[in-house]
Amino acid sequence: MDSTGERQLYIVDAFTDTPFSGNAAGVVPEADGLGEKRMLQIAAELKQSETAFLALSNHPDADFRVRYFTPQEEIDFCGHATVAAAWVLGSEYGWAEKAERVVFETNIGLVPVDLLKEDDRLKLVTMTQVAPKLQEIDVTTEEIARLAGISPSDVDPRSPIKLGYTGNWHLLLPVKTREAIDVARPLLPELAAMNRRFRISTTHLFTFDTQDDNYDLYTRDFAPAVGIPEDPVTGAANGALAGYLLLEGIISADSRRLRIAQGHAIGRPGTLFVTVTPGERAPVIQVAGSAHISIKGTLNNAK
C-alpha cells in the first residue's frame, strides 16, 4: 500500500489457463492494516465467490497470513482462492524466482503451496490441504436428492453420502451420470438452510461417468449457505472428495493422481489435479492447477 491508501487488486481465474473460465477469485496481496469490516466490504464490491487477503504473518513457519471472504461472510478456507493468491505471488511478485514454495497461515492451519516453473514461467501451483476427515449426516437420501435438484434414482448407491473435510465441511453426493449432474436444479433456499444446520460449506455432486477419457471424475458444487449459488471449480471440495474416496476404499490405497473436471455446466470449465497419498497418520491431499490473471487494478483509499 502506498501513502494514498492505494492497494493492488487482482481477479484471477483459477484451475485454468484460459481467460474467463475456471473459477475467478479476488486477490489483495498487500492487505496489512485492513480490518475485517473493510475486507468484507471489498469482497462484496468485487462480487467474486471468494477474495483472498494476504498480510505478513507472525507465524515462524508461514510467509503470509491469508483470510478468505465471500461477498457475505468470512470462511475458513478456499481452495481456488489459495491457488489464485499463490499464482499472483509467483507471477507478479517474483516469489517463484526466489523459492519453490510459499506457506500460508489460514484459519485452519498452515497450507503450503509449491510453485512449479517451466521455461522460466510459472506453470502449476500445488497446495497441500489439511488431513481429510469424514462424518455421517442424518438426512435421508430422498431429502438430499430433492434439495440438490436430482431424482433419488440418480443417486449412486455404490458410494455413501457423507460429509468430507480438508478445511471446510462438504456434503459429498455420489451421482450415477454426468447428465444428471448437469441438469440438477437445486432448491437453493432450502439447501442453504440444511447446510447451515449442519455447518456445511457446500454440497458437492460427483460422478465417475465423466463422458471424457481425459478425466477421472466430474463434479458440480453448490454453496448457497455462504452466499454462492454455484461455485464453478472448487479446490477445497474436490480435496475433501479425494480424501473421502480413499478413506471409503473407493480408490486404492496406492498414491493416486486424479484429474477432475468441473464448471462445464455453467460455461466456466476447469481442471484440477488431485494427488492422494496414504500417510502414517492420515492421507496427504494435494490439489494442483494453473491460473490466469484476467484483471489487474487498484483499490483506492482502501484503508
Side-chain angles (χ1 to χ4, degrees):
M1 182 184 72
D2 65 19
S3 59
T4 67
E6 293 185 345
R7 301 172 190 263
Q8 288 296 111
L9 162 73
Y10 299 84
I11 304 295
V12 183
D13 297 323
F15 298 117
T16 183
D17 54 11
T18 303
F20 313 120
S21 58
N23 199 357
V27 179
V28 180
E30 299 173 73
D32 298 86
L34 287 178
E36 182 174 322
K37 180 179 179 180
R38 182 64 78 200
M39 286 189 276
L40 183 57
Q41 289 174 327
I42 293 169
E45 185 80 4
L46 294 180
K47 295 182 174 61
Q48 303 303 314
S49 56
E50 283 89 7
T51 296
F53 295 85
L54 281 66
L56 295 178
S57 174
N58 293 322
H59 194 290
D61 298 320
D63 300 299
F64 294 92
R65 172 80 168 99
V66 185
R67 297 177 69 178
Y68 308 93
F69 286 81
T70 76
Q72 181 174 298
E73 63 188 57
E74 183 175 10
I75 61 173
D76 287 336
F77 180 67
C78 174
H80 84 277
T82 300
V83 168
W87 197 269
V88 168
L89 291 175
S91 61
E92 296 287 309
Y93 283 73
W95 200 268
E97 302 299 323
K98 60 183 180 181
E100 295 180 350
R101 168 176 284 193
V102 58
V103 179
F104 293 138
E105 177 195 2
T106 75
N107 288 352
I108 63 166
L110 298 182
V111 177
V113 184
D114 296 315
L115 311 175
L116 175 65
K117 288 179 23 177
E118 189 175 285
D119 297 328
D120 294 326
R121 297 187 64 179
L122 188 59
K123 177 71 174 179
L124 199 73
V125 300
T126 302
M127 59 182 160
T128 300
Q129 298 187 352
V130 300
K133 296 185 288 187
L134 299 179
Q135 280 188 5
E136 302 287 344
I137 182 168
D138 188 19
V139 181
T140 66
T141 296
E142 290 73 20
E143 179 65 1
I144 290 174
R146 185 183 74 85
L147 296 179
I150 63 174
S151 168
S153 63
D154 290 325
V155 177
D156 191 341
R158 296 173 297 176
S159 302
I161 299 172
K162 285 199 175 178
L163 302 181
Y165 175 93
T166 52
N168 300 315
W169 285 103
H170 305 272
L171 175 56
L172 304 174
L173 178 56
V175 181
K176 292 177 182 176
T177 66
R178 172 174 172 169
E179 181 181 6
I181 289 181
D182 282 340
V183 301
R185 296 294 181 267
L187 304 178
L188 293 174
E190 292 183 66
L191 183 62
M194 187 267 284
N195 284 0
R196 290 190 194 100
R197 186 165 82 250
F198 290 98
R199 298 184 177 180
I200 301 166
S201 292
T202 78
T203 296
H204 198 61
L205 284 61
F206 72 92
T207 184
F208 288 95
D209 174 41
T210 65
Q211 300 179 15
D212 186 334
D213 291 339
N214 291 319
Y215 293 99
D216 300 293
L217 290 143
Y218 180 82
T219 66
R220 197 171 174 194
D221 195 82
F222 304 103
V226 294
I228 307 165
E230 180 166 357
D231 215 5
V233 192
T234 46
N238 282 300
L241 171 61
Y244 152 93
L245 293 173
L246 182 61
L247 293 173
E248 287 293 321
I250 298 169
I251 61 174
S252 67
D254 299 327
S255 182
R256 177 83 179 271
R257 194 186 200 208
L258 302 169
R259 188 179 173 112
I260 302 176
Q262 192 183 337
H264 299 64
I266 55 173
R268 294 195 64 99
T271 300
L272 308 96
F273 304 96
V274 184
T275 302
V276 187
T277 306
E280 291 184 5
R281 296 183 179 179
V284 177
I285 307 297
Q286 294 179 299
V287 179
S290 57
H292 179 273
I293 296 174
S294 292
I295 298 173
K296 177 179 177 180
T298 305
L299 286 166
N300 295 317
N301 298 315
K303 298 181 179 179

